[in-house]
Structure formats: C-alpha cells, structure tokens
Amino acid sequence: MELLVRIFGREIIIPDTIVNMWVVVILLIIFALVVNSKIKKANVDEVPSNFLNVVEMLVEAVEGLVRSTMGPQNMQFAPYMLTLALFLAVANLFGLLGFSPPTSDYSVTLSLALVTFVLTQFWKIKNSGSIFKYLKGYTEPMAFLTPLNVIGDLANPISLSFRLFGNVMSGGIIMALLYQALGIFAPIIATPLHAYFDVFSGLLQTFIFIMLSMIFIGGREE
C-alpha cells in the first residue's frame, strides 16, 4: 500500500515496496530482540530450546560460509552477511503473503549493492596500506588496462543489483500474468508455481547475492 506524505507543502508518494521494506526491517528488529531476550534467559547448564538451536544452526552456517569463502581472517564480516541474508530472504519471500517484495524495487537492490561496493573499496584501501597503493592497483598488471579495471569495479554493484532486481521482478510479473490468465483456476494451478518463483528463486537469489558480496569483498585482499 502506497503512502502519501506531505513535507513542506509538497506531496510525496512512498511506493508500497519501500513501505514493505520498512515492515521487513521492523520484523527483523523484533526477531533480534526476541533472540537476544531468550539468549539472556537461557541457562548454560540446560539444553537449549528448539528455537535457540535453529538460531545457532543459522549462525554457524553463515560463519562457515564466510570462513570458507573469505578466510578465517575475515570473520568480522559474518554479522553483516547474516543480516544481509536474513533481510533478503524475508524480503524475497514477502510475495507469498500477497505483498510486493521490497527487492522488486531497484532502489532497494541498488542500495544493498552499494553497501557491498563501499565495503569492497574500504577493505581494498585498508589492505593496500595507502590510497596511493590502492590507486596504483588499478594500473596493474599494465597501465593501459586502467580504464578496464575501473569499469570492472564500477560494474560490480550494477550487475549485483540488476541480477536480484530482475529475477524478483520477473517472477512477480509472471505470477501476475498467470493469475489474470487462469481466472478462477489460478489458486489451484498457480500455487505450485509460488514454490518456484517465490521460495526457490527467492532463496537462491539470496544465496547468490551474499556469495557475490563475499567474493567481491574477500577478493580484494592482497
């Protein structure tokens, strides 16, 4: 549902995808508070609840992925990757509830890709030791390849954002067309397709996005 707000006399329409994005963020904050509360109340001498076991498995899975992809020296990125994975998974599955997935809005996917791009450049500068060595890296292995190296870096956030946006948006369009074409039979025939376009494709695109983010950031290490 779109929102109409007035700021300094001007009407601004906030798209439903942006509203849904904030709903996802609020849900994840509530989830984090619940997990934090249960961990504080947990007794180390007792067997953890099933809920905490699932959370622990999720954390260990992401940490294992970060360790194997970026190396044990980059474990500080595990919280970011877990947060990114949870947001993307919930956002991509939002279509199952009949709402527009936040990731079907290019501004959302571009913002996420730009965060990864900034982290990539920051980590590259840190590992290079200085701005001069960082810039010199673009001239390697030969100086005439500098424009290609720069374009290659700038293309990463574009390809990362368009891949996620395109897959989620196209899945939503296909499902909308199917519902219109099938009429009253849509709830029966289209239901299995939700398993592919919303669940399988949504989780697959989540995995691809965080894997590419880890490769971009970890790959900058000297």
Side-chain angles (χ1 to χ4, degrees), residues 4-14:
L4 179 63
V5 296
R6 292 179 182 275
I7 300 178
F8 300 116
R10 295 184 61 181
E11 292 184 348
I12 298 177
I13 298 176
I14 301 177

Side-chain angles (χ1 to χ4, degrees), residues 173-187:
I173 292 175
I174 291 172
M175 290 306 301
L177 292 175
L178 281 174
Y179 270 95
Q180 289 185 355
L182 295 175
I184 60 173
F185 299 104

Side-chain angles (χ1 to χ4, degrees), residues 63-71 74 210-212 214-215 218-219:
E63 285 184 343
L65 203 59
V66 172
R67 187 179 295 107
S68 61
T69 307
M70 304 178 71
N74 289 320
I210 62 171
M211 282 300 296
L212 289 175
M214 286 189 286
I215 291 171

Side-chain angles (χ1 to χ4, degrees), residues 82-185:
L82 177 59
T83 305
L84 188 60
L86 286 175
F87 174 80
L88 288 176
V90 176
N92 289 344
L93 296 176
F94 223 55
L96 288 172
L97 303 176
F99 301 106
S100 299
T103 43
S104 63
D105 190 317
Y106 185 65
S107 65
V108 175
T109 60
L110 179 62
S111 299
L112 295 173
L114 286 176
V115 172
T116 294
F117 177 75
V118 171
L119 280 175
T120 302
Q121 301 309 313
F122 170 77
W123 206 237
K124 186 177 180 181
I125 293 172
K126 183 178 180 184
N127 289 322
S128 298
S130 67
I131 291 289
F132 175 75
K133 291 182 179 177
Y134 160 75
L135 295 174
K136 186 175 179 294
Y138 283 102
T139 64
E140 296 174 350
M142 288 175 280
F144 74 91
L145 293 177
T146 300
L148 292 179
N149 291 333
V150 173
I151 292 172
D153 260 12
L154 294 177
N156 286 338
I158 304 299
S159 63
L160 193 62
S161 56
F162 265 118
R163 180 181 291 104
L164 177 60
F165 164 73
N167 279 282
V168 176
M169 171 62 83
S170 60
I173 292 175
I174 291 172
M175 290 306 301
L177 292 175
L178 281 174
Y179 270 95
Q180 289 185 355
L182 295 175
I184 60 173
F185 299 104

